[in-house]
Amino acid sequence: MTTQWTTPSALGRRLQRTYVGHWFAGSQGDPYALILRAQRDDPSPYEEEVRARGPVFHSEVLDTWVIADGALARSVLTDARFGALTRAEGRHRAELLPPAGPEISPARAREHGGVPGDAEPAVSAQDEVAVEALAEQVSRTLLGALGADFDLVADFARRLPAQVLAEFLGLHAAGHGRFEELLADCARSLDSRLCPQTLDITRTGLRAAAELRELLARHLGDGGPRSAQAALALAVDVAAPSGALICNAFEALGSSPGKWDALCQNPEKADAVIAELWWRRPPVRVESRIAQEDVELAGVPIPADGHVAILVAAAQRDPAVTRAPTENGTGAPGLGDGVGVPLGLLGDAHSTSAARTVRALSRGALRVLAQEAPGLRPSGTAVRLRRAPVTLGHARFPVARTGSRALTDLGAA
């Protein structure tokens, strides 16, 4: 932790000042600041306001150039003139935004210019298959230990990625439990890079990140493609987005009559559902890039070290880029009946290895939920996190299950 954050009071003041700045800019009508406030379940009206202001909107108070245009977003995400860090290898607004989890390393930042980063293990197509199989296995184990009523977030979607990653990364069994606990404490890491978290969440995340790095170093060592730094980068980039995507999928299916039942009748359609949700409700909604030199975007000059925010969810809604999947009037995924479902901008944005892992993990989880818990239904109000503009994850999601398959059968599966 750097010197300006050495005391809780100094850290708390800095977090508060930064968040007040977001509120001030939002009160002046800045739509990007309203997105970063992250106080509503659906930020799409603010995203559309950004789009209405042109291909590049300059948020002057937050000194950020914001993009909702699909073609321009894809161009930036694949342009080597943009990276994750400044030319001095610093984070955007690092003096104002202490992270609630691991920092981005300089080596990891290289991946964002179209060059794979040395600090992340490559996830091959074969690895992707292995992750999906692990997700199915762990999903069955978790469901087998749960009763008829549970919280889809705390009891399933948050635990599943950690347990899959612990196995995939080759951690010793003795470290699995602590790995899961520490990764949960880093859950707000992606959001904290753009939106200041509370003091408690920030301090907990910083402590957990330090211990998680030490734990991984003890189990994995510090060199090679499965190094501690590589594993930490992958784990943090996968855990929260996976949980968000799983919950988004169940919520979308459950909110439309017949959609969940249709998936349960044909669980192999989980692949199509995740593909459509990846496009429609991406688990990483905002991507951050920093110009490595003076650049002009759609006639707008961006100075070197200028911060660019890509609104992934808005860019993927841009009809000029791709045709939207059909909705059959329901607003829910079409279970594979959509036309031309794209991979989405996150195939270029959120790191390739992380994106592959998130999709594989979510496919396996949704398939098993459909197979093993066809009677699963929401049993209360699903509540989304606040101060989570990047992941827009759920804080809780109460569910209950009934149906033809007994819980004892689940445990034996």
Side-chain angles (χ1 to χ4, degrees):
M1 194 182 302
T2 56
T3 54
Q4 69 263 36
W5 307 329
T6 53
T7 67
S9 59
L11 176 57
R13 285 193 299 270
R14 193 163 296 277
L15 290 165
Q16 188 174 34
R17 284 196 210 104
T18 304
Y19 202 58
V20 166
H22 291 178
W23 277 86
F24 171 77
S27 69
Q28 303 301 306
D30 184 327
Y32 178 60
L34 291 169
I35 291 169
L36 295 191
R37 276 188 189 181
Q39 291 296 310
R40 62 181 297 166
D41 290 351
D42 180 14
S44 59
Y46 303 143
E47 295 168 347
E48 292 307 313
E49 175 63 22
V50 170
R51 191 195 310 281
R53 298 197 183 194
V56 181
F57 164 64
H58 186 207
S59 172
E60 294 186 9
V61 175
L62 302 182
D63 197 22
T64 295
W65 287 262
V66 192
I67 296 172
D69 179 88
L72 191 58
R74 186 175 295 281
S75 174
V76 171
L77 291 171
T78 56
D79 191 333
R81 295 176 298 172
F82 293 91
L85 302 179
T86 67
R87 292 171 298 168
E89 298 188 339
R91 273 193 309 109
H92 166 61
R93 304 184 82 198
E95 73 285 2
L96 299 176
L97 281 166
E103 292 268 20
I104 303 175
S105 71
R108 172 155 167 64
R110 287 198 292 274
E111 68 157 42
H112 291 302
V115 179
D118 294 340
E120 181 181 314
V123 176
S124 66
Q126 185 177 358
D127 289 333
E128 195 174 345
V129 172
V131 167
E132 191 164 345
L134 278 172
E136 293 185 357
Q137 175 187 327
V138 174
S139 294
R140 290 190 173 90
T141 301
L142 286 173
L143 283 173
L146 294 172
D149 298 281
F150 60 93
D151 185 334
L152 187 63
V153 178
D155 298 324
F156 185 82
R158 186 178 297 150
R159 300 192 65 194
L160 174 67
Q163 293 187 16
V164 170
L165 286 165
E167 190 70 31
F168 174 70
L169 292 169
L171 269 67
H172 299 160
H176 284 201
R178 188 56 180 156
F179 175 79
E180 182 179 334
E181 293 171 359
L182 293 171
L183 193 55
D185 286 342
C186 293
R188 305 300 284 272
S189 179
L190 294 181
D191 292 300
S192 73
R193 294 169 189 171
L194 292 176
C195 176
Q197 305 300 303
T198 66
L199 178 60
D200 284 346
I201 288 175
T202 301
R203 295 182 70 197
T204 297
L206 289 169
R207 284 195 299 265
E211 186 178 341
L212 187 56
R213 190 175 287 108
E214 292 174 1
L215 182 149
L216 290 168
R218 289 198 303 271
H219 285 268
L220 304 178
D222 289 322
R226 287 287 191 265
S227 69
Q229 179 63 32
L232 181 61
L234 183 66
V236 169
D237 274 4
V238 165
S242 295
L245 188 56
I246 292 166
C247 290
N248 285 346
F250 182 75
E251 184 175 46
L253 293 167
S255 65
S256 181
K259 290 294 183 180
W260 174 249
D261 292 337
L263 177 63
C264 294
Q265 292 168 12
N266 190 356
E268 290 310 310
K269 288 288 188 178
D271 294 22
V273 172
I274 292 301
E276 293 198 16
L277 262 295
W278 190 262
W279 182 91
R280 195 183 301 280
R281 302 184 187 181
V284 176
R285 297 181 68 89
V286 186
E287 276 288 338
S288 184
R289 294 292 185 272
I290 296 177
Q292 303 300 297
E293 59 186 71
D294 292 343
V295 180
E296 187 174 287
L297 296 176
V300 177
I302 312 293
D305 289 333
H307 180 240
V308 177
I310 298 96
L311 304 184
V312 175
Q316 291 183 172
R317 290 197 302 269
D318 188 343
V321 174
T322 182
R323 181 177 175 181
T326 57
E327 298 189 30
N328 299 331
T330 66
L335 292 176
D337 59 2
V339 178
V341 179
L343 174 62
L345 294 175
L346 291 185
D348 302 317
H350 193 49
S351 64
T352 302
S353 292
R356 286 180 171 178
T357 308
V358 169
R359 288 195 298 268
L361 203 154
S362 302
R363 287 194 301 264
L366 188 61
R367 185 178 300 113
V368 170
L369 283 172
Q371 290 170 339
E372 308 289 4
L376 197 66
R377 296 291 186 272
S379 61
T381 302
V383 178
R384 288 192 181 269
L385 295 165
R386 294 299 179 242
R387 302 198 190 197
V390 176
T391 61
L392 199 65
H394 286 80
R396 60 179 180 273
F397 197 156
V399 295
R401 56 180 173 178
T402 59
S404 59
R405 193 163 188 190
L407 299 184
T408 53
D409 291 340
L410 285 174

